[in-house]
Amino acid sequence: MKLNTPIKGEDFFFERNSVTETYGKRTNESHYHNMFEIYYITSGECSYFIDNKTYSLLPGDIILIPEGVIHNTEYNSIHSRLLINCSKSFIPTSIRDILPPMTYLYRNPGTIDEINGIFAKIEKEYYGKDLLRNDILTCYTHMLFFIIARNISTCETIDGKNAHIEKAIDYMKQNFSSSVTLPEIASICNISPEHFSRIFKNETGFTFSEYLNFLRLKKAHGLLLHSRRDSVAKISSMCGFNDSNYFSIKFKQMYGISPKKLQMNKK
């Protein structure tokens, strides 16, 4: 699990792609971005794990993922999709505060034609080279967000597929700084540890301990960026790690920099 960072200097990325992986295969390890992600499936089906829920996607569905939200994809069939990663400057200021909790999955058959038209304009403009390219991309992307926000009241309501996973992750988010164990979580969900471990891996793409480490490392990253007084060992302990050396190894694997160096660079 790691932070996926866009190419340096880029604040907007667009891609059209057909995915041909076999059934049940995931894209990669779970990850998150430091940019907003828009994932629009145009054909086929796939499953998307976001934050604490797994959603089944159909053609016309749009996934909206703010920066810092963990996610991954599992392919259920050959499918095609359009992908946008963008900085906050491409999100209208009037709706930044409601994306989400407005929605992660937007499904609204009544706006598909309008959405398709906007994506076509974005794709054409993305490969343009004139001086107005970025301004026009911003305009079209703003329009995409406005269409979604204006029609959110008629969006179909879709619940995540597994209530046990949602309940477990909510508990982990609230208690990750303490000693949280797999048997403890399984007991809260009223299922056996073996069954919980299996469904957690199947639904999310990673193990209980991997996800718990992600929550702890993400919190530690924020503390290291904003704390000038607390030592790496203290921050490690505050975030639920009993061994600061283990914490440093995992932190560097996820962020590509040691916690000490990150903290020093921000001083």
Side-chain angles (χ1 to χ4, degrees):
M1 193 182 319
K2 63 181 179 179
L3 166 68
N4 277 16
T5 306
I7 299 172
K8 186 176 181 180
E10 289 192 359
D11 58 359
F12 190 95
F13 172 80
F14 175 89
E15 181 181 63
R16 175 187 290 273
N17 192 24
S18 293
V19 181
T20 59
E21 277 81 353
T22 57
Y23 179 86
K25 182 175 180 179
R26 293 185 180 273
T27 50
N28 48 34
E29 63 184 30
S30 298
H31 61 279
Y32 69 98
H33 305 284
N34 58 7
M35 299 177 77
F36 200 101
E37 179 167 305
I38 305 168
Y39 188 104
Y40 181 41
I41 181 169
T42 56
S43 67
E45 299 178 10
C46 68
S47 296
Y48 223 108
F49 174 77
I50 312 167
D51 194 19
N52 64 353
K53 294 183 179 181
T54 299
Y55 300 93
S56 296
L57 272 62
L58 302 173
D61 287 350
I62 299 177
I63 289 291
L64 304 167
I65 309 174
E67 60 180 279
V69 175
I70 186 171
H71 58 279
N72 66 28
T73 314
E74 180 178 347
Y75 305 123
N76 298 336
S77 67
I78 295 174
H79 74 277
S80 299
R81 55 94 169 135
L82 305 177
L83 176 70
I84 292 174
N85 289 116
C86 61
S87 66
K88 286 183 178 179
S89 64
F90 290 87
I91 304 174
T93 55
S94 59
I95 64 172
R96 285 180 191 174
D97 291 340
I98 62 171
L99 281 171
M102 184 176 78
T103 185
Y104 283 128
L105 172 55
Y106 176 83
R107 178 180 293 167
N108 194 333
T111 61
I112 286 180
D113 289 343
E114 197 171 8
I115 294 290
N116 284 337
I118 291 294
F119 268 104
K121 292 178 179 179
I122 290 173
E123 182 173 16
K124 181 179 179 180
E125 198 62 42
Y126 181 72
Y127 296 103
K129 300 183 182 300
D130 63 52
L131 296 177
L132 295 176
R133 171 184 178 271
N134 285 348
D135 290 334
I136 296 176
L137 274 177
T138 301
C139 178
Y140 287 150
T141 309
H142 278 199
M143 182 58 69
L144 176 61
F145 280 111
F146 285 137
I147 292 170
I148 291 170
R150 168 177 278 179
N151 294 281
I152 198 65
S153 62
T154 58
C155 182
E156 294 183 16
T157 301
I158 303 100
D159 293 325
K161 291 198 298 184
N162 197 306
H164 289 314
I165 299 303
E166 183 178 355
K167 184 176 181 179
I169 290 179
D170 285 343
Y171 183 86
M172 292 164 70
K173 286 181 175 180
Q174 297 174 29
N175 298 280
F176 66 84
S177 60
S178 61
S179 179
V180 181
T181 66
L182 190 151
E184 176 187 357
I185 297 290
S187 176
I188 291 171
C189 296
N190 294 315
I191 56 179
S192 71
E194 293 77 14
H195 182 53
F196 172 79
S197 180
R198 182 168 58 254
I199 65 172
F200 194 89
K201 176 69 174 180
N202 288 341
E203 289 288 328
T204 69
F206 47 89
T207 67
F208 163 80
S209 60
E210 287 172 343
Y211 191 86
L212 184 60
N213 274 345
F214 166 77
L215 293 176
R216 291 170 169 171
L217 290 168
K218 187 178 177 185
K219 178 64 175 180
H221 185 267
L223 292 175
L224 288 164
L225 287 176
H226 297 100
S227 174
R228 295 174 179 269
R229 294 188 300 271
D230 294 331
S231 66
V232 169
K234 182 177 180 179
I235 289 175
S236 168
S237 178
M238 290 168 59
C239 295
F241 288 97
N242 297 322
D243 185 338
S244 60
N245 290 327
Y246 175 78
F247 161 70
S248 295
I249 291 171
K250 290 297 181 180
F251 190 93
K252 188 170 184 179
Q253 287 176 351
M254 182 165 171
Y255 290 103
I257 186 174
S258 71
K260 186 175 183 62
K261 188 172 182 180
L262 176 67
Q263 191 177 45
M264 291 176 61
N265 289 347
K266 292 299 177 180
K267 290 183 177 180

